[in-house]
Amino acid sequence: MSLSPENEFEPTFDNVLRMGGNTQNNETEKPPVFIEDVARLAGVSPITVSRAIRTPSKVSVEKQNRIREAIEATGYKPDSIARALRSGRTNIVLGFISNMFSQQFAKAVRGCSLILEESGYQFLIGETTYSYKKESAIISDLQQLKPAAVFFTGVIELEENREQLRKLKIPIMETWAYPRDPIDLLVGISNTDGGKLAARHLANKGYKEVAFIGRGGGRGALRYQGFADECERSGISIVKKIHCKEVIDINDGRKVFHELYADGNMIKAVFCANELLATGVYLAARDAGLRIPQDLAIIGFGDNDLASSLQPGITTIRFDSEALGQHAGRMILASLRGEKLNQKTRYMPLSVIERGST
Amino acid sequence: MSLSPENEFEPTFDNVLRMGGNTQNNETEKPPVFIEDVARLAGVSPITVSRAIRTPSKVSVEKQNRIREAIEATGYKPDSIARALRSGRTNIVLGFISNMFSQQFAKAVRGCSLILEESGYQFLIGETTYSYKKESAIISDLQQLKPAAVFFTGVIELEENREQLRKLKIPIMETWAYPRDPIDLLVGISNTDGGKLAARHLANKGYKEVAFIGRGGGRGALRYQGFADECERSGISIVKKIHCKEVIDINDGRKVFHELYADGNMIKAVFCANELLATGVYLAARDAGLRIPQDLAIIGFGDNDLASSLQPGITTIRFDSEALGQHAGRMILASLRGEKLNQKTRYMPLSVIERGST
DNA sequence: TTGTATGCGTTATCAA
DNA sequence: TTGATAACGCATACAA
């Protein structure tokens, strides 16, 4: 069913509520205000105004006050482009996210952005889409964009890109893994430990044969590594391993579900190294008539609304991604302010959230 | 369960795969390349290089070739900040999204960004969080950011903000509603018609008493308007109306579910003006032991992975949000290029996707 | 079609 | 602590 054809051609207008009434538009346009105007009004030179804004400590209190008044009176706002041209740096912090459909990434980015915006930085987001090519293109563009700092929901793997980032000489924040050698700043989780936790959990539940589903590269590979190591220690065998190329949404999980049983294996438990996969597998399993956890136990990684909303919920390896973003924001800020960081790396603990799916 | 304390203190390092090997770092740093360097190499003046890049048609083919070679030889990239200072405009297109947790918004933004990035624009995203205050702050900042164009997943309601946007004299794209008087460009859906479709669908299903859940303002109010109008026409009564302040995620839907029955009403069908609400209500209803659709029929608005993944799926009012984003991107592009648009407004049709929840 | 002169609005640098 | 001067790298305006 859809609207009748006539209606399709003449859709109803939305009577959007307009608020604020008429702006007296007939007023003559206010001329733009420059630093010079403020300076004249305050009876100082432009450079003193500039200093009063950026480094007030270098300006006498008396002039600070006069300048503040002049700024308020005129409504002056510094031109960030001119500022960037001269100083070689904008006040924009760029956050790159590998998949906008991931709630965890969204939370982290939100946490980081709140912290930075409080301090007058602009936080803007770009999407990298798990593609090395796109990532390289973005990193190359960074040289032109001249951001004040950069935040990634991931770590940079290509040495060439790492080198380029280092050359920017700005705070670079990597997250979502715990490498020995971050480029600069890191708020990380150990994906390896995440995999171990999942294996240990399944071992505790008494499973002897398990399956793994995850991306073949990046974090997926790391989670597999930890999972496989701990499975071996616990005497569990991984009877099936499925690698997905790209995981964008739940349907990627649904698609791989049937591969689980393609060999005639009797899979009773699976670790999905990603929550989108876990929920997709869960839903497909249920559609196929399997009982969860009796016929198939599922443990995921990352958590999301859906994993906690389903009944039974999906057991998962979780960490506080909003807190991760906030920590990242604070470290970036400290670094931007030239404060000495007592640690450039921070670890976010993982825990198993046990729900009904295992 | 979590890792043992020792492990918490000494998390396992992730052995992130590094690719690309050593960059010969001992090479002397390449000096930066400016337009003047290219010009000298090509035997022309800097301004000719500038023109060759931006408006090749104004440069002789012969010089174009020489300049192209010089650019490749030197690896020259124009400084976008200097460019922006001089021309008063960056090559950044800003996309503002009201809620990063909405899949529809994410899809639209992705569609728009793909189109614009193909043409050399940077597409960056900011979040507005349904707050007038934040929205006003952002719009005020736009004057400094000097983007080439702006895309909103919504329409701007405050006249003051509308006026400020108009003053920017850049393409302004509004979406997600179908107002009579957009600021500039619009790729819209009629929220009013969406509400009507929902009402008509419930009427067709034979319901006589229905409930509404949605945000009290913005699109929620528009959808209610259409819903209420069509309910009246069809002789259906709205026995319960719940307004939510802010809808961020599924839990907002879960929370309001119980209000449905607070008055002792026997609600048999509900229109949730937003998919996050619909899925939350659905899950809460199921938890409460209600059968869907027998005990409670639910129709949503917007669709998402979850609505289509549940069983029964959630009936919803849908439109192609990725296509919306793409159309928006193309219109913005045309406008940036100074092409005459034969229409500044485009309508996206809505349809009812009937699943098992009604 | 090409080039010259100039300036975008701010801040680095240096001198006072 | 303050100010004069120059410059950031490019594109507009105008002339040729």
Side-chain angles (χ1 to χ4, degrees), chain B residues 241-284:
Chain B
K241 179 177 163 189
I242 299 174
H243 283 329
C244 310
K245 267 236 153 126
E246 223 184 10
V247 180
I248 301 296
D249 60 30
I250 286 182
N251 289 320
D252 295 307
R254 299 191 86 114
K255 280 177 213 152
V256 296
F257 167 72
H258 294 284
E259 288 181 41
L260 269 183
Y261 301 98
D263 312 338
N265 285 314
M266 273 310 301
I267 312 278
K268 304 293 275 181
V270 59
F271 170 41
C272 299
N274 164 316
E275 209 69 358
L276 260 13
L277 289 174
T279 44
V281 166
Y282 177 108
L283 292 168

Side-chain angles (χ1 to χ4, degrees), chain A residues 129-144:
Chain A
T129 66
Y130 289 123
S131 137
Y132 287 129
K133 201 174 153 196
K134 181 97 189 270
E135 191 175 275
S136 298
I138 283 169
I139 289 174
S140 163
D141 286 346
L142 286 181
Q143 292 164 19
Q144 300 177 59

Side-chain angles (χ1 to χ4, degrees), chain A residues 23-33, chain B residues 143 163-169:
Chain A
T23 325
Q24 272 96 2
N25 208 348
N26 303 343
E27 284 183 66
T28 44
E29 295 249 330
K30 291 181 252 180
V33 181
Chain B
Q143 292 164 21
E163 186 55 29
Q164 286 219 42
L165 287 169
R166 268 188 287 263
K167 277 191 199 148
L168 295 177
K169 312 238 187 264

Side-chain angles (χ1 to χ4, degrees), chain B residues 48-244:
Chain B
T48 305
V49 176
S50 176
R51 278 195 277 251
I53 293 169
R54 292 171 303 130
T55 48
S57 63
K58 293 186 178 173
V59 174
S60 70
V61 178
E62 184 220 332
K63 295 201 171 167
Q64 275 185 51
N65 291 334
R66 274 196 281 153
I67 290 168
R68 190 176 331 108
E69 281 165 23
I71 287 176
E72 278 164 21
T74 54
Y76 170 72
K77 289 203 171 189
D79 180 314
S80 53
I81 305 280
R83 205 172 231 196
L85 178 61
R86 185 63 256 221
S87 68
R89 208 116 289 168
T90 67
N91 70 332
I92 295 173
V93 176
L94 249 29
F96 289 102
I97 196 168
S98 23
N99 177 8
M100 288 194 63
F101 290 155
S102 158
Q103 283 178 23
Q104 301 305 309
F105 291 159
K107 277 188 193 167
V109 159
R110 187 177 279 174
C112 188
S113 100
L114 287 178
I115 300 286
L116 288 163
E117 286 179 354
E118 277 171 12
S119 297
Y121 288 95
Q122 301 266 0
F123 192 90
L124 295 175
I125 302 158
E127 195 181 8
T128 61
T129 65
Y130 288 125
S131 137
Y132 286 129
K133 201 176 153 192
K134 180 98 190 269
E135 190 175 276
S136 297
I138 283 169
I139 289 173
S140 164
D141 286 346
L142 287 181
Q143 292 164 21
Q144 300 177 58
L145 239 33
K146 301 205 172 78
V150 202
F151 170 99
F152 293 95
T153 59
V155 296
I156 306 302
E157 294 176 0
L158 297 175
E159 184 51 42
E160 193 186 320
N161 289 344
R162 291 164 57 80
E163 186 55 29
Q164 286 219 42
L165 287 169
R166 268 188 287 263
K167 277 191 199 148
L168 295 177
K169 312 238 187 264
I170 59 176
I172 308 291
M173 173 61 76
E174 293 176 287
T175 63
W176 242 269
Y178 200 66
R180 253 172 244 281
D181 54 348
I183 298 172
D184 179 26
L185 306 174
L186 174 75
V187 181
I189 58 164
S190 167
N191 293 285
T192 311
D193 284 351
K196 285 185 188 172
L197 281 173
R200 214 179 289 172
H201 178 77
L202 292 179
N204 289 347
K205 290 285 173 178
Y207 292 97
K208 294 291 171 206
E209 301 196 327
V210 298
F212 172 89
I213 304 179
R215 277 200 300 138
R219 296 183 281 270
L222 296 170
R223 290 169 195 168
Y224 177 75
Q225 195 53 56
F227 185 69
D229 286 355
E230 187 66 22
C231 280
E232 180 151 19
R233 272 183 30 121
S234 309
I236 297 182
S237 54
I238 300 175
V239 295
K240 182 83 187 178
K241 179 177 163 189
I242 299 174
H243 283 329
C244 310

Side-chain angles (χ1 to χ4, degrees), chain A residues 212-232:
Chain A
F212 171 89
I213 304 179
R215 277 198 301 137
R219 295 183 282 270
L222 296 169
R223 289 169 196 167
Y224 176 74
Q225 196 51 57
F227 185 68
D229 286 355
E230 187 67 20
C231 279
E232 181 151 17

Side-chain angles (χ1 to χ4, degrees), chain A residues 107-174:
Chain A
K107 277 188 193 169
V109 158
R110 188 176 279 175
C112 189
S113 98
L114 287 177
I115 300 286
L116 288 163
E117 287 178 352
E118 277 171 13
S119 296
Y121 288 94
Q122 301 265 1
F123 191 91
L124 295 175
I125 302 159
E127 195 180 10
T128 60
T129 66
Y130 289 123
S131 137
Y132 287 129
K133 201 174 153 196
K134 181 97 189 270
E135 191 175 275
S136 298
I138 283 169
I139 289 174
S140 163
D141 286 346
L142 286 181
Q143 292 164 19
Q144 300 177 59
L145 239 34
K146 301 206 173 80
V150 201
F151 168 100
F152 292 96
T153 60
V155 296
I156 308 302
E157 294 176 2
L158 297 176
E159 183 52 42
E160 193 186 318
N161 289 345
R162 290 163 57 80
E163 186 55 28
Q164 286 219 43
L165 287 169
R166 268 188 287 263
K167 277 191 199 145
L168 295 176
K169 311 238 188 264
I170 59 175
I172 308 291
M173 174 61 74
E174 293 176 287

Side-chain angles (χ1 to χ4, degrees), chain A residues 1-4 7-8 11-23 25 29 77-82 84-85 90 92 94 97 99-101 103 106-107 109-110 117 122-127 132 134 140-141 144-146 155-160 162-163 167 176-182 189-193 196-197 200-201 204 222 248-251 254 283 286-287 305-306 308-311 347 349-352, chain B residues 1-4 7-8 11-23 25 29 77-82 84-85 90 92 94 97 99-101 103 106-107 109-110 117 122-127 132 134 140-141 144-146 155-160 162-163 167 174 176-182 189-193 196-197 200-201 204 222 248-251 254 283 286-287 305-306 308-311 347 349-352:
Chain A
M1 168 187 165
S2 70
L3 280 175
S4 56
N7 210 329
E8 286 288 22
T12 312
F13 281 112
D14 281 337
N15 290 313
V16 173
L17 188 67
R18 299 297 184 201
M19 289 175 294
N22 289 9
T23 325
N25 208 348
E29 295 249 330
K77 288 203 172 189
D79 179 315
S80 53
I81 306 279
L85 178 61
T90 67
I92 295 174
L94 249 29
I97 199 169
N99 178 6
M100 287 194 64
F101 290 154
Q103 283 179 23
K107 277 188 193 169
V109 158
R110 188 176 279 175
E117 287 178 352
Q122 301 265 1
F123 191 91
L124 295 175
I125 302 159
E127 195 180 10
Y132 287 129
K134 181 97 189 270
S140 163
D141 286 346
Q144 300 177 59
L145 239 34
K146 301 206 173 80
V155 296
I156 308 302
E157 294 176 2
L158 297 176
E159 183 52 42
E160 193 186 318
R162 290 163 57 80
E163 186 55 28
K167 277 191 199 145
W176 243 269
Y178 200 67
R180 254 172 244 283
D181 55 347
I189 58 163
S190 167
N191 293 284
T192 310
D193 284 352
K196 285 185 188 172
L197 282 172
R200 212 178 290 173
H201 179 78
N204 289 346
L222 296 169
I248 300 297
D249 60 31
I250 287 182
N251 289 321
R254 300 191 86 113
L283 293 167
R286 194 140 96 174
D287 289 353
D305 272 355
L306 181 47
S308 60
S309 295
L310 291 165
Q311 226 167 17
Y347 174 75
L350 299 172
S351 56
V352 177
Chain B
M1 170 186 164
S2 71
L3 279 175
S4 57
N7 211 329
E8 286 288 22
T12 313
F13 281 112
D14 280 338
N15 290 313
V16 173
L17 188 66
R18 299 295 184 204
M19 289 174 294
N22 289 9
T23 327
N25 208 348
E29 296 250 329
K77 289 203 171 189
D79 180 314
S80 53
I81 305 280
L85 178 61
T90 67
I92 295 173
L94 249 29
I97 196 168
N99 177 8
M100 288 194 63
F101 290 155
Q103 283 178 23
K107 277 188 193 167
V109 159
R110 187 177 279 174
E117 286 179 354
Q122 301 266 0
F123 192 90
L124 295 175
I125 302 158
E127 195 181 8
Y132 286 129
K134 180 98 190 269
S140 164
D141 286 346
Q144 300 177 58
L145 239 33
K146 301 205 172 78
V155 296
I156 306 302
E157 294 176 0
L158 297 175
E159 184 51 42
E160 193 186 320
R162 291 164 57 80
E163 186 55 29
K167 277 191 199 148
E174 293 176 287
W176 242 269
Y178 200 66
R180 253 172 244 281
D181 54 348
I189 58 164
S190 167
N191 293 285
T192 311
D193 284 351
K196 285 185 188 172
L197 281 173
R200 214 179 289 172
H201 178 77
N204 289 347
L222 296 170
I248 301 296
D249 60 30
I250 286 182
N251 289 320
R254 299 191 86 114
L283 292 168
R286 194 139 95 174
D287 290 353
D305 272 356
L306 182 47
S308 60
S309 295
L310 291 165
Q311 228 169 12
Y347 173 75
L350 298 171
S351 57
V352 177

